[in-house]
């Protein structure tokens, strides 16, 4: 842990790794992106190197190299599980814009990781209201709820989990209920042929919770 933070705190290290991660040499780019992801799990919002880390991830997420983009998405997922970092993420427009872009990537695995990040962020009640202020996030979740593509099956489940977390918070449940097509999409998932029976039951319970606010 101390080693990771001391490495990340060295002037220019994360900037150099970010540059290499977006470079034209695939092997070097993958190794650099993986190194940044490894550092990510040891760096929180209170660390002085955190802004540099986030800047590096934002740049990597725009890479044309799929593997680099994947490592960036995984790193965002690591950050979204940390309370302080998640608080920072949902209140930084550039970060949320990037996550939404990941959710609409043409690559299924990147899309899945993008929605996973949103689902992670929804678990903190302090984030719920902030997330639902941006209608694009709810629209993104509705779109994923309506996906009936086997390739995006887990992405759809992550979207369901995100909606259920938001529905469970008083600060966000009304916005969730009133968002166009959200409750009906959640209901359709609950009666779908998806193999996750427990999640489908939870979805139908969520519909009952949201119904009074429609």
């Amino acid at each position: 842990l101390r080693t990771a933070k001391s490495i990340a705190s060295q002037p220019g290290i994360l900037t150099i790794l970010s540059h290499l991660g977006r470079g034209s040499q695939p092997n070097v780019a993958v190794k650099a992106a993986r190194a940044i992801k490894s550092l990510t799990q040891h760096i929180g919002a209170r660390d002085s190197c955190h802004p540099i880390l986030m800047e590096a991830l934002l740049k990597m997420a725009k890479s044309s190299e799929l593997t680099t983009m994947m490592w960036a998405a995984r790193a965002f997922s690591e950050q979204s599980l940390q309370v302080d970092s998640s608080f920072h993420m949902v209140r930084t427009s550039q970060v949320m814009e990037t996550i939404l872009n990941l959710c609409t990537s043409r690559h299924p695995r990147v899309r899945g990781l993008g929605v996973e990040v949103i689902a992670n962020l929804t678990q903190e009640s302090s984030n719920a209201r902030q997330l639902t202020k941006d209608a694009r996030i709810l629209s993104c979740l509705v779109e994923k709820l309506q996906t009936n593509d086997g390739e995006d099956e887990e992405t759809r489940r992550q979207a369901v989990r995100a909606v259920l977390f938001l529905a469970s918070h008083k600060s966000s449940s009304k916005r969730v209920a009133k968002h166009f097509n959200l409750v009906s999409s959640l209901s359709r998932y609950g009666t779908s042929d998806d193999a996750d029976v427990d999640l489908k039951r939870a979805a139908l319970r969520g519909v009952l919770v949201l119904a009074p606010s429609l």
Side-chain angles (χ1 to χ4, degrees):
L1 176 58
R2 289 182 180 177
T3 302
K5 288 185 179 180
S6 62
I7 290 173
S9 298
Q10 293 301 313
I13 288 290
L14 285 171
T15 303
I16 292 169
L17 286 173
S18 173
H19 177 75
L20 292 174
R22 294 176 291 117
S24 57
Q25 299 180 44
N27 290 336
V28 175
V30 170
K31 289 178 181 178
R34 186 184 298 167
I36 290 179
K37 193 271 178 186
S38 297
L39 292 171
T40 300
Q41 59 188 318
H42 302 296
I43 299 173
R46 296 182 182 181
D47 294 311
S48 60
C49 55
H50 189 261
I52 304 171
L53 170 67
M54 296 307 290
E55 183 180 349
L57 295 183
L58 289 171
K59 290 177 179 177
M60 283 170 49
K62 296 176 182 177
S63 173
S64 57
E65 184 68 38
L66 173 59
T67 308
T68 299
M69 198 186 306
M70 287 283 294
W71 282 116
R74 287 178 179 138
F76 274 125
S77 185
E78 289 273 4
Q79 285 287 295
S80 66
L81 291 170
Q82 298 183 34
V83 176
D84 290 345
S85 292
S86 71
F87 184 89
H88 166 82
M89 288 171 70
V90 300
R91 289 160 180 79
T92 306
S93 58
Q94 195 175 2
V95 171
M96 294 311 299
E97 190 79 38
T98 299
I99 291 168
L100 282 170
N101 287 339
L102 292 174
C103 291
T104 57
S105 168
R106 60 191 178 89
H107 303 290
R109 290 196 297 170
V110 174
R111 288 197 297 271
L113 285 166
V115 178
E116 177 183 295
V117 172
I118 292 178
N120 290 343
L121 293 172
T122 62
Q123 295 182 43
E124 288 298 322
S125 58
S126 59
N127 293 337
R129 184 178 181 184
Q130 188 71 25
L131 286 167
T132 52
K133 282 182 179 179
D134 189 341
R136 295 175 304 166
I137 293 174
L138 293 177
S139 294
C140 172
L141 294 176
V142 170
E143 180 186 335
K144 302 309 176 189
L145 283 174
Q146 295 173 343
T147 300
N148 200 19
D149 183 350
E151 198 170 30
D152 274 341
E153 186 175 55
E154 185 53 37
T155 300
R156 188 185 189 191
R157 292 171 183 165
Q158 289 285 9
V160 173
R161 294 181 187 108
V163 168
L164 293 177
F165 276 123
L166 290 173
S168 69
H169 301 306
K170 289 183 179 180
S171 62
S172 56
S173 59
K174 286 187 178 180
R175 284 198 182 99
V176 172
K178 294 183 182 301
H179 191 83
F180 179 70
N181 236 357
L182 195 152
V183 176
S184 59
S185 297
L186 188 62
S187 177
R188 282 194 292 273
Y189 170 77
T191 56
S192 71
D193 59 358
D194 187 67
D196 195 329
V197 176
D198 290 338
L199 188 59
K200 289 195 295 184
R201 288 174 180 165
L204 293 176
R205 287 195 296 271
V207 171
L208 293 176
V209 168
L210 293 169
S213 298
L214 286 172

